[in-house]
Amino acid sequence: MTFETVSENTAFGGVQGVYKHHSSATGTDMTFSVYVPPHAEGQILPVVWFLSGLTCTHANVTEKGEFRRACAELGLIFVAPDTSPRGEGVPDDADAAYDFGLGAGFYVNATASPFDTHYRMQDYIERELPDIIAAHFPADMQRQAIMGHSMGGHGALTISLRNPGKYKSTSAFSPIVSPLNCPWGEKALGGYLGDDRAQWRAYDSVALLADGARLPDLLVDQGLADNFLESQLKTHLLVEQCAAVGQRAEIRMQPGYDHSYYFISTFMAEHLAWHAERLNG
């Protein structure tokens, strides 16, 4: 397995790194970032995964998420993967649309040609990258949390729901809560998985809750000034489903906030503190 350090910078007494490796899951080179806070020699630290949204790479949250001070104070490793495979031979949307293909992997294992060869983001996030983090960083893989934004919020919710016990806490900013019921999701799941909507349920948090999956706890922040709220995100579907099945959740509708990293960075430290309480509980 190849593992390359692209860059490392000191920040808040820890190290912000960017790394590259060849992925067996996607068949491509993949780049990700990791922040390791200051810690005693030999100490292992809990891990928080951050899954990014449409059009993003690892760089968006790394550069704009304002998480390092909180991670340094709380003793959290922060991992930010890419959102899709990239490189020569990786198929993209025919019209180069932003909501499918490169930058829009939707954290699924594609089954429809030609995307099934490389678009294996579920395997990459759930299996391959955790092994790399465990091998190269002082990570306590018994204490993992997961969070994400928009498409990445969808990823965090569904990955956690499908893997009971793996993540001690789950949170999201502006998640796509039900890809079965929004244009982004219908395009992505139809393109990656085909027309059988029954196969889509494994990638829909509302459907997973309806089918019996549960989380220990859930925190969601959604901006009320988000242009995508009514047409794509449909937070009310998650609120209603959590209430219907008794899923414990704090879903906060935040007046004045939009879909941007101005919103995410405002509440990032609160989310990390919430995760730290559960990771150290």
Side-chain angles (χ1 to χ4, degrees):
M1 182 186 68
T2 61
F3 182 84
E4 175 187 345
T5 299
V6 177
S7 64
E8 289 185 333
N9 298 92
T10 300
F12 296 99
V15 176
Q16 176 64 66
V18 177
Y19 308 93
K20 180 186 292 186
H21 72 107
H22 185 77
S23 167
S24 59
T26 68
T28 66
D29 286 346
M30 297 293 288
T31 301
F32 63 96
S33 76
V34 180
Y35 177 72
V36 178
H39 61 284
E41 185 174 354
Q43 182 183 8
I44 57 173
L45 305 167
V47 178
V48 177
W49 296 84
F50 186 94
L51 306 185
S52 294
L54 290 167
T55 75
C56 292
T57 70
H58 70 281
N60 297 74
V61 69
T62 304
E63 296 169 0
K64 298 185 288 187
E66 299 185 25
F67 56 86
R68 279 172 287 269
R69 181 187 294 276
C71 286
E73 293 172 352
L74 296 165
L76 301 173
I77 293 175
F78 190 96
V79 181
D82 203 346
T83 55
S84 78
R86 300 176 193 272
E88 186 176 352
V90 177
D92 195 9
D93 182 82
D95 299 317
Y98 76 96
D99 55 357
F100 188 81
L102 299 182
F106 261 80
Y107 305 100
V108 307
N109 279 346
T111 56
S113 180
F115 304 101
D116 53 341
T117 299
H118 296 294
Y119 284 81
R120 312 288 298 176
M121 291 301 294
Q122 176 186 345
D123 283 348
Y124 181 68
I125 298 298
E126 293 183 4
R127 298 181 178 85
E128 184 177 14
L129 191 53
D131 288 345
I132 292 171
I133 298 302
H136 292 277
F137 300 93
D140 182 354
M141 304 307 286
Q142 300 305 309
R143 292 188 292 161
Q144 297 185 73
I146 192 165
M147 62 192 303
H149 169 233
S150 194
M151 178 186 72
H154 139 79
L157 290 171
T158 56
I159 288 170
S160 192
L161 284 162
R162 286 197 310 269
N163 291 274
K166 183 172 184 177
Y167 305 96
K168 291 189 177 297
S169 52
T170 307
S171 77
F173 300 100
S174 314
I176 303 170
V177 305
S178 185
L180 278 159
N181 293 291
C182 73
W184 279 343
E186 290 178 348
K187 179 176 182 178
L189 298 186
Y192 293 133
L193 305 177
D195 295 333
D196 183 2
R197 293 175 69 92
Q199 302 302 313
W200 301 10
R201 295 183 69 83
Y203 300 107
D204 185 296
S205 61
V206 172
L208 286 165
L209 286 165
D211 292 345
R214 296 290 182 270
L215 300 172
D217 204 352
L218 174 63
L219 174 63
V220 173
D221 274 311
Q222 171 62 58
L224 285 172
D226 190 324
N227 290 336
F228 301 114
L229 176 56
E230 297 302 322
S231 61
Q232 303 282 8
L233 307 178
K234 301 190 176 182
T235 311
H236 70 279
L237 296 177
L238 181 62
V239 173
E240 293 163 4
Q241 190 63 57
C242 286
V245 301
Q247 168 64 57
R248 184 167 65 176
E250 184 177 6
I251 301 174
R252 310 187 300 193
M253 307 303 291
Q254 303 287 5
Y257 287 95
D258 59 17
H259 201 69
S260 72
Y261 270 88
Y262 296 110
F263 166 57
I264 296 168
S265 63
T266 299
F267 297 100
M268 176 67 83
E270 286 186 37
H271 279 238
L272 291 170
W274 183 87
H275 285 294
E277 287 180 5
R278 287 149 181 81
L279 289 165
N280 296 323

